Amino acid sequence: MDWLGWLIFLGAAFIGSYVQAVTGFAMGMIVIAVAGASGLIGLPVLTAAASIISLVNIVFALKGHTGSLHRPLVFWLALGQIPAIGVGVWLLTVLDRNLQWLLQLLLGGFLIAGCLSMLLRPKPITRVSPPWAALTGGLAGGLIGGLFAASGPVIGWFCYRQPLSLPAIRASLLAFFALTSSSRTLIVGVQGGLTAEVLLLSMVAIPLVVLGTWLGRENPPPVSDEVLKRVVFALLLLMGCWILLGGLLEMGA
């Protein structure tokens, strides 16, 4: 990977960690969208590194907020996601080897659908979702998390519909993402995917992730969370369209 790829990845990691510390999610999407749109880093390497740095970000962002967790909701979400993560990682490996154009189409479509779902404010429900619904949400989030290391749109939409306080939603989201990132990293490691390139990318990015997380917690932007989310997701939507277009062109080649 050349110096431009490094700069893009490190810049996306810093910005993503800052945004996630403020809003509670989006780091994975930002890193995958920005670096993926450049085409300079293979998706398996990119998602493996994104999982590691996301975990570092989450640990720092969650510190001091575990008391706000809605534990029953997190439990059922986690129970659903664990088997689905392995399926997502396997699917990524197969598509990257055999059908890269389809992988690009899926990534672009995922970013577009995810951004649109988060730009539209989810309508809150009157009662916390029952276990079966949380289990289903966990399965969907785990599959996307395994495939793209970014389950934010699925789980974010699900959690923001719950009739819970904002601190409880954010803490529960971060706890879910911590389990997703750690489980995914373990699976990729067992498969031999934690290569020297992945580890080097992660180690260089970690100081920037720590800095971005600290800045997000101590110096949030002078705009509301809602405005920040809309700006970020509008930009990610454009990147999703770019990646989707690349996949269509490659399919027709």
Side-chain angles (χ1 to χ4, degrees):
M1 186 172 61
D2 59 19
W3 63 270
L4 182 58
W6 274 94
L7 287 178
I8 291 173
F9 177 80
L10 295 176
F14 174 75
I15 294 171
S17 63
Y18 179 84
V19 173
Q20 180 152 300
V22 174
T23 65
F25 65 99
M27 179 174 175
M29 282 189 70
I30 291 172
V31 173
I32 298 302
V34 174
S38 73
L40 297 174
I41 310 175
L43 202 54
V45 171
L46 179 58
T47 52
S51 294
I52 295 173
I53 63 174
S54 292
L55 184 58
V56 174
N57 168 271
I58 292 162
V59 169
F60 277 90
L62 191 56
K63 184 179 180 181
H65 298 284
T66 54
S68 300
L69 285 173
H70 191 282
R71 286 172 172 78
L73 185 66
V74 172
F75 171 79
W76 288 108
L77 285 170
L79 193 63
Q81 77 155 338
I82 291 173
I85 291 174
V87 176
V89 173
W90 171 80
L91 188 58
L92 171 62
T93 303
V94 172
L95 292 178
D96 183 66
R97 289 176 180 170
N98 304 299
L99 294 168
Q100 288 198 356
W101 63 267
L102 179 57
L103 186 58
Q104 276 191 279
L105 290 180
L106 289 174
L107 177 58
F110 159 68
L111 290 171
I112 292 170
C115 290
L116 289 176
S117 71
M118 297 313 300
L119 283 170
L120 301 173
R121 182 187 294 272
K123 184 178 180 181
I125 54 180
T126 57
R127 298 176 61 185
V128 175
S129 295
W132 68 265
L135 191 69
T136 303
L139 282 168
L143 180 63
I144 296 299
L147 188 55
F148 297 126
S151 54
V154 176
I155 302 302
W157 184 85
F158 180 86
C159 287
Y160 274 101
R161 294 189 70 226
Q162 306 303 316
L164 303 172
S165 67
L166 195 55
I169 290 174
R170 287 180 176 172
S172 299
L173 276 171
L174 288 170
F176 180 88
F177 297 152
L179 184 57
T180 302
S181 298
S182 57
S183 300
R184 191 184 192 283
T185 300
L186 178 62
I187 292 171
V188 172
V190 170
Q191 293 180 342
L194 296 182
T195 62
E197 183 180 15
V198 169
L199 296 176
L200 184 58
L201 274 173
S202 305
M203 293 304 103
V204 175
I206 282 174
L208 292 174
V209 170
V210 173
L211 177 61
T213 302
W214 177 80
L215 286 173
R217 293 187 64 176
E218 300 297 327
N219 299 282
V223 296
S224 68
D225 288 2
E226 188 64 28
V227 171
L228 178 63
K229 283 191 291 186
R230 287 186 177 275
V231 171
V232 169
F233 284 120
L235 293 174
L236 291 178
L237 180 63
L238 294 176
M239 293 178 191
C241 292
W242 175 262
I243 294 172
L244 185 66
L245 177 61
L248 289 171
L249 292 175
E250 187 173 337
M251 178 180 65

